[in-house]
Amino acid sequence: MSSVVSSPVDTGLEVVDLQSDPAFAKRRLHTRDVATQIAGMQRLARAFVDQPDTILQELVNAAVDLCGADSSGISIEQENKTDENYYHWAATAGQYARFLNATLPRYPSVCGVCLERGQPQLFRVTQRFFDLMGIEAPIVTDGILLPWEVEETRGTIWIMAHGSTEAFDDDDVRMMQVLADFAAMGVRQQRQQKRLMEQAGASAAAAMANKLAHRINNPLQSLTNVLYLAATGHHGEEAKTLAEDLSIDLERLSGLVKKLLALPYTAQ
């Protein structure tokens, strides 16, 4: 592995920039369960429309299902952060589900490295780190960490394996980038709804949240349809075409989220 974060003190963390790691690029793609992908996308679509308060949790649930991860989570820099309590785990799933609402220090932190670099990272966590933190948790044998940012709030979304040393590949990175965009969107949507409720009452907040959610739901439904076609047993050239369509939908979905993130808070 290349471009590994080094430190004079052994913290038990190994963080590598994915763009400078040729070994990761050579990993063979895993066979994905299309039915699971469909179910995950449908849950996200329903959450954005019907239960916006659950968006972050549904995102990490989807990350576990769509990428075959052992654990997943979303970390957010705290508003009133201190060096000892810098990152808040706002959503967790899988084997790390019990660490929901945990707080981590500013250092040592894989999140800090990821946010500083501003791009996807490959990471591993040995027993040394957990000994330093004074907690018991499965070690991380393979993990992907992606940054997201909305206004002055920053965070990361991550997936972990606790046994396999090569659990993820480029396909997982692409999927996680979409989920990272949605994490930022989810945080902003929740804050917009809260502000509107404070400023104009619950009815205005509900109208705004509903409109925003349906704009997100349309490309999600398109993506779900493509996955459904793949699930019906297409092969050969048809499978190649479906994969290309899926890639286009993912880019469209990510582009829409970025545009929505750029809207002012007063947009109606």
Side-chain angles (χ1 to χ4, degrees):
M1 298 172 71
S2 58
S3 300
V4 180
V5 169
S6 60
S7 171
V9 179
D10 178 16
T11 61
L13 301 179
E14 183 181 20
V15 190
V16 182
D17 191 328
L18 279 179
Q19 294 184 357
S20 63
D21 183 23
F24 184 84
K26 294 178 181 179
R27 291 187 181 184
R28 300 178 64 180
L29 295 177
H30 305 288
T31 301
R32 305 299 177 192
D33 182 75
V34 179
T36 299
Q37 290 180 324
I38 293 172
M41 288 300 171
Q42 288 176 331
R43 284 202 307 272
L44 287 179
R46 286 194 296 268
F48 268 99
V49 174
D50 299 327
Q51 296 178 303
D53 290 343
T54 69
I55 291 172
L56 297 185
Q57 186 60 48
E58 288 297 343
L59 282 169
V60 296
N61 291 343
V64 167
D65 292 340
L66 297 176
C67 299
D70 294 327
S71 296
S72 178
I74 291 175
S75 302
I76 302 177
E77 286 184 342
Q78 300 207 89
E79 291 186 19
N80 299 315
K81 51 184 175 286
T82 64
D83 285 345
E84 292 75 23
N85 297 287
Y86 203 86
Y87 298 104
H88 170 229
W89 284 11
T92 53
Q95 293 185 36
Y96 272 29
R98 63 189 176 95
F99 294 115
L100 178 65
N101 293 322
T103 58
L104 275 74
R106 184 174 187 178
Y107 177 86
S109 170
V110 294
C111 294
V113 175
C114 182
L115 292 173
E116 180 181 350
R117 292 179 173 177
Q119 52 194 23
Q121 303 295 306
L122 183 68
F123 71 99
R124 292 170 182 158
V125 184
T126 68
Q127 187 59 45
R128 171 64 176 168
F129 174 80
F130 299 111
D131 290 342
L132 290 173
M133 295 296 104
I135 59 176
E136 294 184 5
I139 64 171
V140 181
T141 54
D142 198 32
I144 295 176
L145 187 75
L146 287 88
W148 57 264
E149 183 172 357
V150 54
E151 297 170 341
E152 297 181 355
T153 301
R154 302 191 305 169
T156 61
I157 183 170
W158 39 266
I159 49 176
M160 300 173 174
H162 303 304
S164 173
T165 57
E166 292 191 359
F168 310 114
D169 53 30
D170 281 334
D171 188 44
D172 295 306
V173 175
R174 286 189 290 270
M175 180 59 71
M176 288 299 292
Q177 186 59 67
V178 172
L179 298 182
D181 290 338
F182 270 100
M185 186 68 254
V187 169
R188 183 171 189 194
Q189 183 179 9
Q190 289 175 355
R191 290 185 176 181
Q192 283 178 320
Q193 187 170 359
K194 181 179 179 181
R195 290 189 183 186
L196 283 171
M197 289 182 70
E198 293 173 349
Q199 297 172 3
S203 60
M208 175 61 183
N210 185 67
K211 182 176 181 180
L212 195 60
H214 279 85
R215 291 182 67 180
I216 289 291
N217 185 55
N218 290 336
L220 265 176
Q221 188 59 52
S222 177
L223 182 56
T224 299
N225 290 339
V226 172
L227 291 172
Y228 172 78
L229 291 176
T232 59
H234 291 72
H235 302 286
E237 287 301 315
E238 286 184 297
K240 180 179 179 181
T241 301
L242 288 170
E244 292 172 350
D245 290 343
L246 177 58
S247 177
I248 292 172
D249 276 318
L250 287 173
E251 291 178 5
R252 175 170 167 251
L253 189 58
S254 181
L256 175 58
V257 171
K258 286 183 171 67
K259 288 180 180 178
L260 289 174
L261 285 171
L263 292 175
Y265 270 104
T266 55
Q268 297 292 328

